[in-house]
Amino acid sequence: TDSLTKNQYIQPTFPVPTFVTDTFACRNEAVPFDATTSNVVQPATYTWNFGDGTPNQAVTIPATTHIYTVDNLYTVTLVVTDVNGCHDSIKHQIRIQHPHAAFNDSVPLIGCGITQMHYRDLSTGLDITGWQWSFGDGASSLQENPHHNYTVPGPYIVTLIVTNSAGCKDTVSDSVFVP
């Protein structure tokens, strides 16, 4: 009898997905997701579920971006499928939190030719790490709750920019009357 032997082997594959992303990011900004360190036989498909109700995104390149429009804690799932149809998944959480800038003011001291205003940060959001005040008269401060002396009474536009540890910023401006 005749026989034919072929030396082709079925090579089992075991994809091992991994990805890198920020754990804290800004709303309405592109968040990068990078799965280039996944151990997978190519060609492969990377299916992303960003946890926010948007449709799954299946791509053949391992890096992508996504924009979250609502502050929340999301679970991101990546499913990697290799050339043989074998697949595995991994999950990571990401917090989307945009700060909301707010402040109030008070007049603790009125003296001869000087009015001291006290500004109090009322901003909300996680991990606010920076404050940038502009007092409307050319002066500024990086303190959380600054005092400022005005020498001329009248209306001023005071602006506060707050920044959180993810680099997200919010700005508020208000008209303040100095007596």
Side-chain angles (χ1 to χ4, degrees):
T1 157
D2 292 332
S3 68
L4 176 65
T5 303
K6 286 191 168 190
N7 291 329
Q8 289 186 337
Y9 301 98
I10 297 175
Q11 183 176 16
T13 55
F14 305 100
V16 180
T18 60
F19 71 91
V20 177
T21 190
D22 295 324
T23 58
F24 187 34
C26 306
R27 176 176 22 110
N28 296 324
E29 293 186 13
V31 179
F33 295 88
D34 186 353
T36 56
T37 59
S38 293
N39 184 4
V40 60
V41 176
Q42 299 291 335
T45 302
Y46 303 84
T47 304
W48 298 92
N49 179 323
F50 297 106
D52 62 352
T54 57
N56 288 356
Q57 179 182 1
V59 293
T60 57
I61 56 172
T64 190
T65 61
H66 185 70
I67 296 174
Y68 290 92
T69 59
V70 177
D71 292 346
N72 205 347
L73 179 65
Y74 297 97
T75 299
V76 179
T77 305
L78 169 64
V79 177
V80 176
T81 306
D82 70 13
V83 67
N84 294 322
C86 300
H87 63 276
D88 199 1
S89 65
I90 189 170
K91 296 180 181 192
H92 287 298
Q93 288 191 319
I94 182 170
R95 164 89 49 203
I96 304 299
Q97 179 73 51
H98 205 83
H100 178 73
F103 70 90
N104 70 8
D105 60 83
S106 61
V107 184
L109 177 66
I110 298 177
C112 295
I114 288 184
T115 301
Q116 184 182 73
M117 298 288 288
H118 179 207
Y119 294 98
R120 185 169 156 230
D121 174 45
L122 301 175
S123 302
T124 57
L126 294 176
D127 206 16
I128 295 175
T129 58
W131 299 264
Q132 184 178 350
W133 295 86
S134 174
F135 299 115
D137 64 352
S140 61
S141 174
L142 299 177
Q143 295 178 333
E144 181 178 357
N145 298 303
H147 292 264
H148 179 64
N149 294 328
Y150 291 91
T151 57
V152 178
Y156 293 89
I157 301 295
V158 176
T159 300
L160 169 62
I161 302 171
V162 292
T163 307
N164 67 19
S165 63
C168 312
K169 295 179 184 275
D170 192 39
T171 303
V172 63
S173 295
D174 198 6
S175 180
V176 174
F177 184 79
V178 175

